[in-house]
């Protein structure tokens, strides 16, 4: 056996008596590893305790099909105590980051040290506690990143539609500007009377302001376009299939244009109608771009409010604003068949809370409700005051949660979702945020056709470090 002075200089073993040190020296073996050697594989059952006295270990964690670097542990350090005591397979792979010297303790020796040496047992349990906390933080971080990825995908989908509308409107607007320039030259060349142009200008402005994004019956719209197209074609208007939809969309019919046809020559009438159609089309495209840009602005504003960017973690907030921001962010998941009913008590006072964290609670509950309803059903959100607490109830009309698993809903890693769809941390995170961070309470009641998650937040928020009245 090599010199064990480095071992006994470790705080873990410094309190051993001479007799214990002699006994330990006779019951420990030594292992030498070259750089790159594997000490333990993830999923392996640990049967011995290891102490690295020279060198360093690299710790790896399998994520999906890849090995991801997790930590670097330098001598002196203990390895494998948590898995050895719990009997749970090792959740990590340990490799040598350099040439290493490792002391190996059989399980009976390790357990005897735990029983007979108080400093040893304290250090071991402190080490286990620190690593469990670190691993817990790692898992929670992965869950938050997964949730962020899901939200980002949904936001990308939501932003794509208005962004595409803006791009489409801008593209067609460039073409329409060219067409409008051509029609202006024709109007000038054909000498359309100034009073007629003034009338058309006022008419286009009036029609453009009156015409909004109100959907019309497609069949009736097509019939109106066909009738108008035939009518203007008979009067010599070029490309009537392009002109008629613009006029019909603004509510202009043949009867409205007939007086102009009687006052103008065929060339003048054609020029005037084409100018009017191009003007209306350009206004319509500008409105479409404005609505698209407004929608993008709404989504970005909601995302900023949802995450409380540029603000301190603790804010005085209106609880309803956070819920509405969450609904806006999750619109991609709700808009295809989930009807949201709001029953808000707008008289509720503002709360001093961790806003972005509380929004994560609403996200987890609403996301679970949407999955339970399979994307179709009724979601009711109700807020009210009970004594010194604000209560938020989120109810869905899904199939319900089986009675036997309801007590386990807030357990870490427990999920009823199919493999690969959930890791069972959403409600655990919600529980921690509500209970640990805000001194509140969260519960669930469920039966077929009605599942309600109830979040209770104190008006005096001691956990958040502030007071709300």
């Amino acid at each position: 056996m090599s010199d064990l002075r480095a071992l006994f200089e470790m705080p873990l073993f410094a309190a051993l008596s001479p007799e214990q040190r002699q006994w330990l020296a006779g019951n420990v073996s030594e292992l030498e590893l070259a750089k790159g050697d594997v000490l333990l594989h993830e999923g392996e059952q640990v049967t011995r305790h290891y102490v690295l006295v020279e060198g360093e270990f690299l710790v790896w964690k399998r994520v999906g099909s890849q090995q991801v670097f997790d930590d670097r542990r330098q001598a002196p350090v203990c390895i494998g105590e948590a898995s050895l005591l719990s009997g749970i397979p090792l959740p990590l792979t340990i490799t040598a980051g350099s040439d290493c010297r490792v002391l190996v303790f059989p399980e009976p020796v390790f357990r005897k040290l735990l029983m007979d040496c108080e400093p040893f047992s304290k250090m071991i349990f402190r080490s286990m506690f620190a690593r469990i906390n670190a691993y817990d933080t790692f898992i929670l971080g992965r869950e938050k990143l997964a949730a962020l990825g899901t939200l980002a995908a949904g936001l990308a989908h939501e932003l794509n539609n208005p962004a595409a509308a803006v791009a489409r409107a801008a593209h067609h607007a460039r073409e329409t500007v060219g067409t409008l320039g051509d029609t202006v030259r024709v109007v000038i060349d054909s000498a359309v009377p100034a009073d007629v142009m003034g009338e058309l200008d006022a008419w286009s402005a009036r029609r453009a302001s009156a015409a909004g994004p109100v959907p019309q019956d497609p069949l009736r719209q097509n019939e109106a376009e066909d009738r108008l197209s035939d009518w203007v074609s008979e009067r010599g208007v070029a490309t009537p299939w392009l002109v008629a939809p613009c006029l019909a969309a603004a509510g202009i019919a043949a009867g409205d244009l007939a007086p102009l046809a009687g006052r103008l020559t065929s060339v003048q009438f054609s020029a005037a109608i084409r100018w009017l159609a191009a003007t209306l089309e350009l206004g319509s495209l500008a409105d479409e771009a404005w609505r698209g840009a407004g929608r993008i602005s709404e989504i970005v504003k909601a995302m900023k409010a949802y995450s409380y960017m540029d603000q301190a973690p603790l804010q005085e907030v209106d609880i309803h604003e956070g819920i509405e921001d969450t609904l806006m962010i999750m619109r991609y998941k709700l808009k295809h068949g989930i009807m949201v009913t709001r029953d808000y008590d707008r008289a509720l006072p503002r709360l001093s809370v961790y806003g972005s964290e509380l929004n994560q609670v609403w996200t987890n509950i609403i996301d679970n409700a949407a999955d339970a309803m399979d994307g179709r059903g009724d979601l009711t959100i109700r807020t009210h005051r009970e004594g010194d607490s604000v209560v938020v109830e989120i109810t869905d009309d899904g199939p319900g949660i089986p009675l036997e698993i309801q007590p386990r809903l807030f357990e870490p890693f427990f999920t009823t979702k199919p493999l690969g769809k959930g890791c069972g941390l959403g409600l655990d995170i919600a529980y921690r945020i509500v209970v640990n961070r805000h001194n509140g309470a969260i519960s669930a009641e469920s039966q077929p056709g009605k599942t309600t998650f109830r979040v209770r937040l104190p008006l005096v928020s001691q956990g958040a470090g502030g007071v709300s009245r």
Side-chain angles (χ1 to χ4, degrees):
M1 175 63 64
S2 301
D3 188 3
L4 294 181
R5 281 180 296 178
L7 177 70
F8 297 132
E9 289 174 358
M10 293 176 60
L12 204 59
F13 303 98
L16 291 178
S17 65
E19 293 78 12
Q20 288 173 321
R21 294 186 181 194
Q22 185 177 0
W23 167 80
L24 185 59
N27 288 278
V28 65
S29 59
E30 186 173 325
L31 177 65
E32 292 187 355
L33 298 176
K35 182 178 180 179
D37 288 349
V38 178
L39 175 69
L40 294 167
H41 291 276
E42 182 173 348
E44 182 178 342
Q45 199 72 39
V46 179
T47 58
R48 295 180 292 180
H49 180 241
Y50 302 88
V51 176
L52 176 66
V53 291
E54 292 179 9
E56 69 173 6
F57 281 147
L58 302 181
V59 182
W60 304 84
K61 175 69 180 173
R62 180 170 293 279
V63 178
S65 59
Q66 295 183 331
Q67 287 281 5
V68 178
F69 176 75
D70 179 67
D71 194 12
R72 184 187 303 272
R73 300 180 186 175
Q74 296 181 334
V77 67
C78 296
I79 299 293
E81 64 275 6
S83 295
L84 181 60
L85 287 173
S86 64
I88 297 175
L90 191 72
L92 304 163
T93 294
I94 312 293
T95 65
S98 65
D99 292 343
C100 295
R101 177 175 167 236
V102 185
L103 298 181
V104 183
F105 296 71
E107 183 175 356
V109 175
F110 174 71
R111 293 188 178 277
K112 182 173 177 56
L113 282 172
L114 280 179
M115 296 295 295
D116 297 346
C117 183
E118 183 178 351
F120 180 85
S121 60
K122 284 184 177 180
M123 290 291 293
I124 286 293
F125 286 118
R126 285 173 184 168
S127 173
M128 288 176 57
F129 183 75
R131 289 181 189 171
I132 289 172
N133 275 346
Y135 185 64
D136 191 36
T137 301
F138 173 76
I139 292 295
L140 292 177
R142 282 191 57 202
E143 171 68 10
K144 290 182 178 180
L145 286 175
L148 181 61
T150 301
L151 287 177
L155 282 173
H157 178 76
E158 281 296 294
L159 288 169
N160 181 66
N161 292 333
V166 172
R168 182 174 59 250
H171 173 73
H172 289 304
R174 293 177 63 186
E175 297 178 348
T176 304
V177 167
T179 302
L180 185 60
D182 293 339
T183 60
V184 169
R185 285 192 294 271
V186 175
V187 165
I188 295 173
D189 292 341
S190 62
V192 175
D195 62 321
V196 172
M197 289 305 302
E199 183 179 345
L200 288 175
D201 188 41
W203 197 5
S204 67
R206 184 175 67 251
R207 291 292 186 181
S209 62
V214 179
Q216 302 183 37
D217 180 81
L219 182 58
R220 291 186 178 180
Q221 182 71 12
N222 287 336
E223 291 175 351
E225 291 177 8
D226 290 341
R227 288 194 299 268
L228 190 55
S229 178
D230 293 340
W231 189 85
V232 297
S233 177
E234 293 171 358
R235 283 151 183 80
V237 177
T239 60
W241 59 87
L242 297 178
V243 171
C246 301
L247 301 176
I252 299 175
D256 300 315
L257 301 176
L260 288 179
R263 295 171 57 188
L264 304 173
T265 66
S266 176
V267 173
Q268 290 174 331
F269 180 74
S270 176
I273 293 303
R274 291 183 61 203
W275 178 89
L276 177 60
T279 302
L280 290 171
E281 175 71 1
L282 192 59
S284 175
L285 291 171
D287 288 343
E288 183 179 353
W290 180 79
R291 288 192 295 270
R295 176 63 181 159
I296 293 173
S297 179
E298 288 176 1
I299 295 173
V300 172
K301 180 180 177 182
M303 188 61 196
K304 184 175 180 179
Y306 175 87
S307 61
Y308 287 89
M309 291 167 56
D310 305 325
Q311 297 185 39
L314 188 65
Q315 305 93 18
E316 292 279 341
V317 305
D318 181 343
I319 203 76
H320 305 106
E321 292 178 358
I323 294 172
E324 286 301 312
D325 291 334
T326 303
L327 290 172
M328 168 70 79
I329 296 303
M330 299 197 67
R331 183 174 177 271
Y332 73 96
K333 198 163 188 176
L334 304 174
K335 66 181 180 181
H336 297 297
I338 295 179
M339 180 67 67
V340 179
T341 301
R342 298 162 173 84
D343 182 10
Y344 293 161
D345 179 0
R346 292 291 186 177
L348 290 175
R350 297 172 72 86
L351 298 179
S352 181
V353 296
Y354 296 96
S356 61
E357 295 185 15
L358 208 54
N359 285 345
Q360 191 174 358
V361 174
W362 315 137
T363 300
N364 286 330
I365 296 175
I366 293 172
D367 181 68
N368 284 343
D371 286 340
M373 293 185 288
D374 198 21
R376 294 188 177 276
D378 294 321
L379 182 70
T380 302
I381 303 176
R382 177 174 178 252
T383 64
H384 62 281
R385 180 170 181 167
E386 287 185 3
D388 291 331
S389 298
V390 168
V391 178
V392 179
E393 296 177 351
I394 301 176
T395 303
D396 68 74
D397 63 352
I401 304 169
L403 184 63
E404 62 272 15
I405 68 173
Q406 290 183 25
R408 302 188 61 194
L409 287 177
F410 301 103
E411 290 183 9
F413 307 109
F414 178 77
T415 180
T416 60
K417 294 181 181 180
L419 183 64
K421 193 171 183 181
C423 60
L425 286 171
L427 290 179
D428 173 54
I429 291 175
Y431 180 89
R432 296 184 188 204
I433 292 172
V434 173
V435 177
N436 298 341
R437 295 282 278 173
H438 294 90
N439 288 336
I442 182 171
S443 60
E445 298 176 359
S446 183
Q447 60 186 24
K450 184 179 181 181
T451 297
T452 299
F453 279 84
R454 184 173 292 104
V455 175
R456 188 183 303 273
L457 298 168
L459 290 172
V460 180
S461 186
Q462 299 174 355
V467 177
S468 300
R469 296 290 185 187

